[in-house]
Amino acid sequence: MDIEKYLTRINYTGERKPSIEVLTALQKNHLLKVPFENLDIHYHQPIVLDINNFFDKIALRNRGGFCYELNGLFHSLLIALGFDAAIISARVYSKEEVYSPEYDHLAVLVKIDDKEYLTDVGFGEFAFSPLEINIGKIQHDQRGDFIVEKQEDDYYRASKSGNSQNIPEYIFMPVVRQLNEFAEMCQYHQTNPGSHFKQKALITMPTENGRITIADTCLKITESGNIINEKVLDDDEYKNCLKKYFNVVS
């Protein structure tokens, strides 16, 4: 992996010595520059769990990806920069108020000094800053308030906090995983009609105060909680918006 090209891709030019400040800047830059997207699933382009493939797609071809690709590659960057980082498995909370199977989501735990942080650039809507594993502490972020809580069976739960309630994002155990352990779920999300990634093509990226999303052929742009643009795109508009908002050429 060419670190310089990766850092150029996320427009990062700051310090590189491992610290919470550097990790925070890397995470936010990544989220603002690399979209969360599942377009390859709908283009029928196989996604293989290989760091070289991730680097080619994200850093060289200016694409995004979903959690296995985005967090898998981000983990490799952190290791290359000298961070003490590990891949972990997470189970995502659903509308049915249940958690998905193990390996449904890939996230990263980072140790800095005597503290651990959850960092995630592959979940779609999440915090701009890493979340400290500090049980019960409300952590204020540009994207809202978050909290990490201890659960049963050695799980931790990351939730968005607000309006006197905590809305779960996912649960995880601080157990080191290997990339190939996610292969079965990665294949499931590409091929099984029951996967939400098969339901619609999606590309989305946060902005400093909002979000830009194309779901199937619907463009939606929000700022400060308000929808400022929403329309159904024809084929030409779709291609133009992919290029304009995400610098992706279909």
Side-chain angles (χ1 to χ4, degrees):
M1 182 179 67
D2 187 325
I3 295 175
E4 302 304 326
K5 288 183 179 179
Y6 193 175
L7 293 178
T8 297
R9 171 72 174 94
I10 64 174
N11 194 33
Y12 183 80
T13 58
E15 292 289 332
R16 300 185 185 185
K17 184 178 179 180
S19 67
I20 184 55
E21 292 78 15
V22 170
L23 180 62
T24 299
L26 288 169
Q27 177 170 315
K28 182 176 180 181
N29 275 46
H30 204 293
L31 288 166
L32 290 172
K33 290 297 180 182
V34 182
F36 180 92
E37 50 117 322
N38 67 354
L39 300 185
D40 275 357
I41 294 174
H42 296 269
Y43 293 160
H44 304 292
Q45 297 290 329
I47 297 169
V48 179
L49 296 185
D50 179 84
I51 295 299
N52 291 328
N53 288 354
F54 299 167
F55 179 80
D56 177 73
K57 179 180 179 180
I58 295 168
L60 302 184
R61 294 194 286 119
N62 211 57
R63 289 283 305 281
F66 62 169
C67 69
Y68 310 118
E69 302 167 282
L70 297 174
N71 281 324
L73 188 61
F74 189 57
H75 169 258
S76 291
L77 174 65
L78 295 179
I79 293 296
L81 293 175
F83 282 92
D84 182 358
I87 288 172
I88 60 169
S89 166
R91 301 171 57 192
V92 179
Y93 188 72
S94 71
K95 294 179 181 178
E96 292 75 29
E97 298 185 353
V98 296
Y99 291 99
S100 62
E102 205 69 75
Y103 303 109
D104 184 50
H105 180 60
L106 186 158
V108 180
L109 273 184
V110 179
K111 293 181 180 179
I112 300 174
D113 298 326
D114 295 326
K115 297 180 179 180
E116 283 190 307
Y117 298 88
L118 174 67
T119 183
D120 198 330
V121 297
F123 194 64
E125 181 58 49
F126 203 65
F128 270 161
S129 301
L131 300 180
E132 182 183 347
I133 308 302
N134 189 338
I135 306 305
K137 176 186 176 183
I138 299 293
Q139 302 184 50
H140 305 291
D141 184 83
Q142 195 172 340
R143 307 302 289 187
D145 292 340
F146 292 83
I147 187 171
V148 177
E149 300 167 290
K150 192 73 172 65
Q151 303 293 287
E152 296 179 354
D153 300 325
D154 297 322
Y155 279 100
Y156 294 83
R157 182 176 70 188
S159 303
K160 197 162 188 180
S161 182
N163 298 323
S164 301
Q165 63 177 334
N166 298 330
I167 301 173
E169 300 281 8
Y170 52 72
I171 58 174
F172 63 93
M173 285 192 289
V175 175
V176 177
R177 310 290 188 178
Q178 301 302 317
L179 185 60
N180 61 10
E181 294 181 68
F182 296 82
E184 184 176 346
M185 284 304 296
C186 182
Q187 182 67 11
Y188 168 85
H189 284 306
Q190 295 179 72
T191 60
N192 194 299
S195 169
H196 59 279
F197 289 112
K198 291 285 289 181
Q199 306 307 309
K200 60 184 176 183
L202 174 73
I203 184 167
T204 183
M205 194 160 61
T207 61
E208 283 286 352
N209 62 350
R211 177 167 290 277
I212 303 171
T213 299
I214 302 177
D216 282 336
T217 58
C218 182
L219 170 69
K220 183 178 180 179
I221 302 175
T222 62
E223 286 185 4
S224 302
N226 300 310
I227 298 173
I228 64 168
N229 191 354
E230 188 171 26
K231 66 178 297 187
V232 176
L233 308 171
D234 62 29
D235 288 346
D236 287 339
E237 288 174 324
Y238 178 81
K239 293 178 181 178
N240 290 338
C241 285
L242 278 182
K243 177 63 177 177
K244 177 180 179 180
Y245 295 114
F246 305 100
N247 201 22
V248 169
V249 178
S250 63

